[in-house]
Amino acid sequence: MAWETWLIYLVAVIGLSITPGPNGLLALTHGALYGHKKTLYTVSGGAIGFVILIALSMFGIGALLQTSSHALTVLKWLGGVYLIWLGIQVWRAPGMQLSAVDKVPDKSSSDLFRLGLLAALSNPKVLLFFGAFLPQFIDPTGDLLVQFFYMAITFAVVEFFVEYILARIAYSIRPLLENSGKRLNKISGGLFVLIGAALPISR
């Protein structure tokens, strides 16, 4: 993966990670209920779940590339359309309402890890998103395993730190997210639209 491509990927991953989603909301909730140290198990489970989904997407894409030399181009254009649609949905979404989150009983460390893992794996939209998102950055002439390593590690590290920060500041960030969540959605949605429009036509 070229350095410039990785930097664009990093910016896109940061935009995705700060967009309110099931795992971010779970990290916020568990941080408020159990403290940031115990929520590390929740965050770790979510990060591993995302790595598994990236692996499924990447190697499914790799198998498709072996059958057609034009498959990546088709995936890029289909993925670009999906990212634009997703960006519009995120732009129009209401702000996060954390006050509506149900309280949960005390959990063990293994329970928290499992909840984080399942929150990532049980969301079919994430797998669909990776299927549209990752082809924008894949070099078909490069080693797919190496590209998977860089993409998966980058996503897992960014997601881990974003969720951990949410867990640490769970109490103080609630008013900010509820008051400014709509603005955050517009920024993230605009980023997805930009990626969806620009990357399929780039080399």
Side-chain angles (χ1 to χ4, degrees), residues 53-113:
L53 292 179
I54 291 174
L56 291 174
S57 297
M58 285 285 286
F59 293 105
I61 293 167
L64 185 60
L65 289 177
Q66 292 179 355
T67 65
S68 172
S69 60
H70 301 293
L72 186 61
T73 300
V74 174
L75 283 175
K76 280 191 172 186
W77 281 101
L78 292 176
V81 171
Y82 174 74
L83 290 175
I84 292 173
W85 177 84
L86 180 63
I88 294 172
Q89 301 305 308
V90 172
W91 178 286
R92 299 172 60 186
M96 184 184 293
Q97 298 297 319
L98 296 176
S99 58
V101 176
D102 293 330
K103 300 298 183 181
V104 293
D106 192 26
K107 301 285 186 182
S108 67
S109 299
S110 59
D111 286 338
L112 294 178
F113 178 88

Side-chain angles (χ1 to χ4, degrees), residues 8-47:
I8 298 173
Y9 176 75
L10 176 63
V11 171
V13 166
I14 292 173
L16 173 63
S17 296
I18 64 176
T19 302
N23 283 83
L25 183 58
L26 192 63
L28 269 174
T29 306
H30 286 185
L33 292 173
Y34 311 120
H36 64 272
K37 290 184 179 179
K38 200 168 183 180
T39 306
L40 279 171
Y41 293 98
T42 306
V43 174
S44 298

Side-chain angles (χ1 to χ4, degrees), residues 128-140:
L128 180 60
F129 177 84
F130 283 141
F133 181 68
L134 298 178
Q136 314 299 332
F137 303 94
I138 291 176
D139 178 3

